[in-house]
mmCIF file of all heavy atoms in Angstrom:
data_model
loop_
_atom_site.group_PDB
_atom_site.id
_atom_site.type_symbol
_atom_site.label_atom_id
_atom_site.label_comp_id
_atom_site.label_asym_id
_atom_site.label_seq_id
_atom_site.Cartn_x
_atom_site.Cartn_y
_atom_site.Cartn_z
ATOM 1 N N LEU A 1422 176.536 80.509 -22.632
ATOM 2 C CA LEU A 1422 176.524 79.641 -23.931
ATOM 3 C C LEU A 1422 175.136 79.642 -24.534
ATOM 4 O O LEU A 1422 174.147 79.820 -23.990
ATOM 5 C CB LEU A 1422 176.896 78.262 -23.499
ATOM 6 C CG LEU A 1422 178.241 77.947 -22.946
ATOM 7 C CD1 LEU A 1422 178.543 76.639 -22.611
ATOM 8 C CD2 LEU A 1422 179.295 78.498 -23.943
ATOM 9 N N PRO A 1423 175.161 79.556 -25.965
ATOM 10 C CA PRO A 1423 173.908 79.429 -26.656
ATOM 11 C C PRO A 1423 173.256 78.162 -26.488
ATOM 12 O O PRO A 1423 173.888 77.222 -25.740
ATOM 13 C CB PRO A 1423 174.325 79.656 -28.077
ATOM 14 C CG PRO A 1423 175.840 79.079 -28.217
ATOM 15 C CD PRO A 1423 176.379 79.525 -26.818
ATOM 16 N N ARG A 1424 172.013 77.869 -26.973
ATOM 17 C CA ARG A 1424 171.303 76.686 -26.631
ATOM 18 C C ARG A 1424 170.790 75.860 -27.786
ATOM 19 O O ARG A 1424 169.728 75.285 -27.864
ATOM 20 C CB ARG A 1424 170.176 76.962 -25.696
ATOM 21 C CG ARG A 1424 170.698 77.510 -24.373
ATOM 22 C CD ARG A 1424 169.621 78.014 -23.520
ATOM 23 N NE ARG A 1424 170.200 78.784 -22.281
ATOM 24 C CZ ARG A 1424 169.425 79.403 -21.402
ATOM 25 N NH1 ARG A 1424 168.203 79.396 -21.445
ATOM 26 N NH2 ARG A 1424 170.125 80.054 -20.422
ATOM 27 N N PRO A 1425 171.439 75.893 -29.023
ATOM 28 C CA PRO A 1425 171.132 74.966 -30.075
ATOM 29 C C PRO A 1425 171.461 73.564 -29.773
ATOM 30 O O PRO A 1425 172.071 73.247 -28.628
ATOM 31 C CB PRO A 1425 171.838 75.554 -31.292
ATOM 32 C CG PRO A 1425 173.085 76.157 -30.632
ATOM 33 C CD PRO A 1425 172.667 76.768 -29.387
ATOM 34 N N ARG A 1426 171.233 72.620 -30.689
ATOM 35 C CA ARG A 1426 171.600 71.256 -30.449
ATOM 36 C C ARG A 1426 173.058 71.016 -30.387
ATOM 37 O O ARG A 1426 173.840 71.355 -31.305
ATOM 38 C CB ARG A 1426 170.891 70.395 -31.508
ATOM 39 C CG ARG A 1426 171.102 68.877 -31.166
ATOM 40 C CD ARG A 1426 170.416 68.057 -32.250
ATOM 41 N NE ARG A 1426 170.450 66.558 -31.965
ATOM 42 C CZ ARG A 1426 169.595 65.935 -31.322
ATOM 43 N NH1 ARG A 1426 168.517 66.486 -30.939
ATOM 44 N NH2 ARG A 1426 169.766 64.623 -31.025
ATOM 45 N N MET A 1427 173.569 70.377 -29.248
ATOM 46 C CA MET A 1427 174.983 70.337 -29.046
ATOM 47 C C MET A 1427 175.355 68.867 -29.749
ATOM 48 O O MET A 1427 174.648 68.024 -29.797
ATOM 49 C CB MET A 1427 175.198 70.231 -27.518
ATOM 50 C CG MET A 1427 176.737 70.155 -27.187
ATOM 51 S SD MET A 1427 176.993 69.148 -25.706
ATOM 52 C CE MET A 1427 176.481 67.627 -26.342
ATOM 53 N N SER A 1428 176.681 68.926 -30.175
ATOM 54 C CA SER A 1428 177.260 67.739 -30.779
ATOM 55 C C SER A 1428 178.202 67.102 -29.619
ATOM 56 O O SER A 1428 178.178 65.828 -29.684
ATOM 57 C CB SER A 1428 177.922 67.987 -31.972
ATOM 58 O OG SER A 1428 178.911 68.852 -31.835
ATOM 59 N N SER A 1429 178.967 67.782 -28.964
ATOM 60 C CA SER A 1429 179.836 67.171 -27.921
ATOM 61 C C SER A 1429 180.324 68.279 -27.028
ATOM 62 O O SER A 1429 180.340 69.529 -27.346
ATOM 63 C CB SER A 1429 181.025 66.555 -28.731
ATOM 64 O OG SER A 1429 181.825 65.768 -27.740
ATOM 65 N N LEU A 1430 180.893 67.803 -25.898
ATOM 66 C CA LEU A 1430 181.476 68.739 -24.985
ATOM 67 C C LEU A 1430 182.610 67.989 -24.145
ATOM 68 O O LEU A 1430 182.651 66.755 -24.142
ATOM 69 C CB LEU A 1430 180.459 69.319 -24.004
ATOM 70 C CG LEU A 1430 179.572 68.438 -23.251
ATOM 71 C CD1 LEU A 1430 180.280 67.729 -22.037
ATOM 72 C CD2 LEU A 1430 178.251 69.214 -22.625
ATOM 73 N N SER A 1431 183.488 68.761 -23.533
ATOM 74 C CA SER A 1431 184.562 68.234 -22.761
ATOM 75 C C SER A 1431 185.169 69.210 -21.747
ATOM 76 O O SER A 1431 185.119 70.262 -22.113
ATOM 77 C CB SER A 1431 185.676 67.657 -23.596
ATOM 78 O OG SER A 1431 186.605 66.956 -22.937
ATOM 79 N N LEU A 1432 185.572 68.651 -20.689
ATOM 80 C CA LEU A 1432 186.150 69.406 -19.620
ATOM 81 C C LEU A 1432 187.675 69.114 -19.921
ATOM 82 O O LEU A 1432 188.096 68.097 -20.104
ATOM 83 C CB LEU A 1432 185.893 69.019 -18.173
ATOM 84 C CG LEU A 1432 184.551 69.399 -17.703
ATOM 85 C CD1 LEU A 1432 184.132 68.796 -16.506
ATOM 86 C CD2 LEU A 1432 184.367 70.895 -17.602
ATOM 87 N N GLY A 1433 188.559 70.284 -19.670
ATOM 88 C CA GLY A 1433 190.087 70.120 -19.782
ATOM 89 C C GLY A 1433 190.671 70.559 -18.495
ATOM 90 O O GLY A 1433 190.049 71.006 -17.527
ATOM 91 N N PRO A 1434 192.024 70.390 -18.523
ATOM 92 C CA PRO A 1434 192.744 70.807 -17.342
ATOM 93 C C PRO A 1434 192.696 72.330 -17.164
ATOM 94 O O PRO A 1434 192.469 73.038 -18.000
ATOM 95 C CB PRO A 1434 194.148 70.301 -17.703
ATOM 96 C CG PRO A 1434 194.241 70.402 -19.186
ATOM 97 C CD PRO A 1434 192.837 69.893 -19.625
ATOM 98 N N GLY A 1435 192.946 72.705 -15.924
ATOM 99 C CA GLY A 1435 193.025 74.283 -15.617
ATOM 100 C C GLY A 1435 191.734 74.874 -15.750
ATOM 101 O O GLY A 1435 191.683 75.994 -16.177
ATOM 102 N N ASN A 1436 190.476 74.183 -15.478
ATOM 103 C CA ASN A 1436 189.211 74.773 -15.627
ATOM 104 C C ASN A 1436 188.867 75.076 -17.007
ATOM 105 O O ASN A 1436 188.010 75.990 -17.262
ATOM 106 C CB ASN A 1436 189.005 75.895 -14.768
ATOM 107 C CG ASN A 1436 187.637 76.254 -14.457
ATOM 108 O OD1 ASN A 1436 186.802 75.443 -14.304
ATOM 109 N ND2 ASN A 1436 187.348 77.583 -14.177
ATOM 110 N N SER A 1437 189.524 74.522 -17.926
ATOM 111 C CA SER A 1437 189.168 74.809 -19.490
ATOM 112 C C SER A 1437 188.063 73.838 -19.906
ATOM 113 O O SER A 1437 187.822 72.823 -19.144
ATOM 114 C CB SER A 1437 190.420 74.637 -20.417
ATOM 115 O OG SER A 1437 190.930 73.285 -20.215
ATOM 116 N N ALA A 1438 187.426 74.247 -20.878
ATOM 117 C CA ALA A 1438 186.283 73.447 -21.444
ATOM 118 C C ALA A 1438 185.972 73.856 -22.772
ATOM 119 O O ALA A 1438 186.390 74.822 -23.271
ATOM 120 C CB ALA A 1438 184.983 73.637 -20.575
#
Side-chain angles (χ1 to χ4, degrees):
L1422 295 178
R1424 299 174 189 175
R1426 189 178 180 92
M1427 184 215 71
S1428 59
S1429 186
L1430 54 77
S1431 183
L1432 289 169
N1436 201 31
S1437 60

